[in-house]
Structures are given as C-alpha cells and as structure tokens.
Amino acid sequence: MGGTIVLAPKYHPAYNEFCRRFDTEKACEQALFEAKWPNGFVCPVCRHSRAYSIRTRRLTLFECVECRHQTTVIAGTIMEGSRTSLMKWMHALILHVLPSGYSAKEISRILEVTYKTAWLICHKIRHAMGNAETKELLTGLVRIQPSHYRRVDRTTAQFLKIWRQPVLAAATISEDGNFTDLRIRKIAECEIERNRVNPDVIRTFVKESVDSKTVHPVVVPEFYGSDRSPEFTLQLHHARAWINGVYSGGVGEKHLQAYLDQYCFRFPERQNVFFDKLLKWSLVTPRISYPDLIHKRNTTTSRRRSNLRKQAHFGFAAV
C-alpha cells in the first residue's frame, strides 16, 4: 500500500528503530489516531465521542454518531489532501528530527518520491515547526542579540560572493549556563541603523517570542558591541553551519525563516522527544497550499495591478 522504502546503511541508525514502528499503513494510521485522539475519538464539530468506522477507502472514515460529520486522521493537519502514503509521511517526519538533517533531494531518494513531492512535504513539516515556535514562548533567563546568517556562493574560481541576512535571536539560558531553547527571526536591513536594531523591532520580537511573565530579558541591540555573549554567538554560528552544510551551501531569503524554524525546533537534539513533539504539531497545524508556500500572488490580481500601473504611467485614469 505505501510501498517498500529502501534504507541505505549510511543513514542514521535511529531511523531503523522508527521504521520498525511504522512499517505498514495500518500501523501509521493507528499511531496518528492515538496521537490525534489520545483519549478516544472526538468529533471536531460537536465533540461527541462515538463514531462509525467506514473502511472502504484508503484511510478509515470516521462518521460521528451524533452529527454525522465525517473525518479522517489527517483532516485538519499538514497531511490533509495529500496522496502520499502515511508511511512516507511518517518516515519524512522521522528524517526531520535526526541530527544530521536531510535535504529534499536526499529525502526524495530515500522515500522514492519526486523532488517536488519531497520539497512540498519538507516545507509543510517546517510549517508545523514554525507554528510550534510561535506558540511556545521562551521563559526563565532569556538573552537576545542580533547576528547575521551568511551564505557563500562560488561565482567563479577566483571570487566568492557572500550573501548575508540580519537576524535577531533569543535563547533561554539555564542556571549552569547551557542554552536550552532558541528562537531566530530574520529582520530587514531597513530595521538596522548604525549597527543597532530598531527598538520597535526588538519589542515586537520580545512580545512574539518571550513569555510576558519573564522578568527583564537581557537585550543586546548592537551587532558588534562588547556586551555580546561569545557562547551565544557560537550557537548562532552552529545554526548557520548546519543550514549551509545540509542544504548545499545555504538557502535564500525567501525560505530562510522556515529553515531557521527547523533548526530552532530541533534545538537541542533529542530524537525521541522531538519526534513526538513534531507529530503533535503536524496534527494540529492546518495544511498550507503550494502557492502559499512559494508566496505566489493571485494571477488575476497581479495582472489587474500591472494594468493599473501602465494606465497611470501613460496618463490614463482607471474608470
């Protein structure tokens, strides 16, 4: 039903353990049912606890006894509407929590799907990770400071082109000095003046990323100030190195935030804990469409705006 997935020996050994748990479509569907409804079925419309099971389709259809609403284990999740098997979805989730990390090209080869399918699955999973990052706020001792994400492009044999994107990072630091949680958000160049981040940007970032009960987070607004933490700077260097290493030299500005969310979600790396967490957020995050992922404008709207600009340019008023 889901097809055989060939595992090359070079892949992380934890992958074998997960694959034994999810070796059939039935096992995957049962795991999703238990994760979505840990206390038994609950109708998403009327909250009734009983349903008829209709098993004539690829996925079991649950029909509420009370209101007759029909649903499946992937309805309302990032997997909704996907024709890819549950096995391959579950294995893709597993690959996203392994420490080494895998690009869409590698996942395409491992799962035996097209590159476009693998890319779409990966970005939907990162969408769930980003949803988790916006909902789970930092608490305790929090430190905030800016940095840069750098990607190096080899333009010729003699020259290197370095592209950089300013980012603002926040981390929870334990009493023994370890970093226990991390958030990184990209910011625009226009929000920086004299190597300092605009205070309004910092306030917004704190409001979105730090729990309001946290007392006086340590904020360093300068990019090159003496108050910067070397340990924090090193953690941000690790994030940059991981993204550039896994994703063939780095990623562009358009999707950078998704990859930063992925790194932060996996920080620090504990596969068993983060697989359960990722599965949970994948089930509570609504699906996102391909046009939304690539930020594609509505074609009709774009054409109309283009015509209006041409009319204004040539002196014609829109009627």
Side-chain angles (χ1 to χ4, degrees), residues 9-296:
K10 65 179 181 179
Y11 295 116
H12 198 280
Y15 186 54
N16 285 311
E17 177 188 346
F18 281 110
C19 287
R20 282 192 291 270
R21 289 175 55 189
F22 309 117
D23 57 348
T24 65
E25 285 288 284
K26 184 177 180 180
C28 293
E29 187 173 13
Q30 183 61 32
L32 290 173
F33 182 94
E34 293 172 357
K36 186 171 185 175
W37 298 304
N39 299 316
F41 174 83
V42 177
C43 176
V45 174
C46 70
R47 314 306 296 172
H48 195 69
S49 60
R50 291 182 58 209
Y52 301 111
S53 298
I54 304 172
R55 304 182 185 275
T56 56
R57 302 186 178 188
R58 180 174 71 92
L59 296 177
T60 303
L61 200 61
F62 299 97
E63 183 177 297
C64 176
V65 172
E66 184 68 22
C67 70
R68 302 298 181 182
H69 176 75
Q70 295 181 337
T71 188
T72 67
V73 291
I74 64 172
T77 75
I78 62 170
M79 294 171 269
E80 183 177 0
S82 173
R83 291 178 290 182
T84 304
S85 70
L86 294 184
M87 275 181 64
K88 293 185 178 182
W89 265 105
M90 295 294 275
H91 289 209
L93 291 171
I94 295 163
L95 291 169
H96 274 79
V97 297
L98 297 182
S100 49
Y102 295 92
S103 66
K105 184 177 180 180
E106 292 172 312
I107 290 178
S108 169
R109 185 172 60 253
I110 297 169
L111 301 186
E112 299 178 345
V113 297
T114 65
Y115 174 77
K116 183 177 180 180
T117 297
W119 186 92
L120 189 58
I121 289 174
C122 290
H123 272 280
K124 286 186 175 185
I125 292 173
R126 293 187 191 103
H127 177 59
M129 291 176 168
N131 187 32
E133 296 303 286
T134 58
K135 296 295 197 310
E136 298 179 344
L137 303 180
L138 300 179
T139 58
L141 177 59
V142 176
R143 185 179 183 89
I144 300 170
Q145 70 181 46
S147 184
H148 285 96
Y149 165 77
R150 292 179 177 86
R151 184 187 70 184
V152 178
D153 295 326
R154 188 175 297 279
T155 55
T156 68
Q158 292 83 21
F159 300 100
L160 294 177
K161 178 183 176 183
I162 300 178
W163 173 81
R164 69 178 194 173
Q165 168 71 42
V167 298
L168 194 57
T172 298
I173 305 175
S174 63
E175 293 181 357
D176 55 3
N178 292 322
F179 291 79
T180 60
D181 212 345
L182 183 66
R183 299 287 183 274
I184 307 176
R185 294 285 180 270
K186 67 178 185 179
I187 55 178
E189 290 283 357
C190 63
E191 296 169 332
I192 302 168
E193 184 177 354
R194 296 179 181 178
N195 289 322
R196 291 175 62 94
V197 180
N198 187 312
D200 292 336
V201 175
I202 295 177
R203 280 192 287 270
T204 301
F205 179 64
V206 170
K207 183 178 180 180
E208 293 175 348
S209 305
V210 182
D211 192 298
S212 58
K213 298 178 182 178
T214 300
V215 179
H216 304 304
V218 178
V219 179
V220 180
E222 300 90 356
F223 275 84
Y224 306 105
S226 58
D227 294 334
R228 290 167 59 83
S229 164
E231 294 82 7
F232 199 174
T233 301
L234 181 61
Q235 291 295 340
L236 297 176
H237 172 75
H238 289 330
R240 180 171 67 246
W242 182 83
I243 292 174
N244 290 348
V246 174
Y247 301 104
S248 303
V251 297
E253 189 273 338
K254 187 174 185 179
H255 296 295
L256 175 60
Q257 188 59 59
Y259 291 91
L260 293 173
D261 290 340
Q262 179 181 359
Y263 182 85
C264 293
F265 186 90
R266 301 166 69 258
F267 181 91
E269 294 157 343
R270 296 189 298 270
Q271 289 85 32
N272 290 326
V273 173
F274 283 136
F275 175 77
D276 294 338
K277 178 182 175 183
L278 179 55
L279 182 59
K280 166 198 164 185
W281 282 103
S282 296
L283 292 173
V284 299
T285 302
R287 68 174 175 176
I288 183 170
S289 67
Y290 179 74
D292 287 336
L293 276 174
I294 63 174
H295 312 299
K296 186 176 182 180

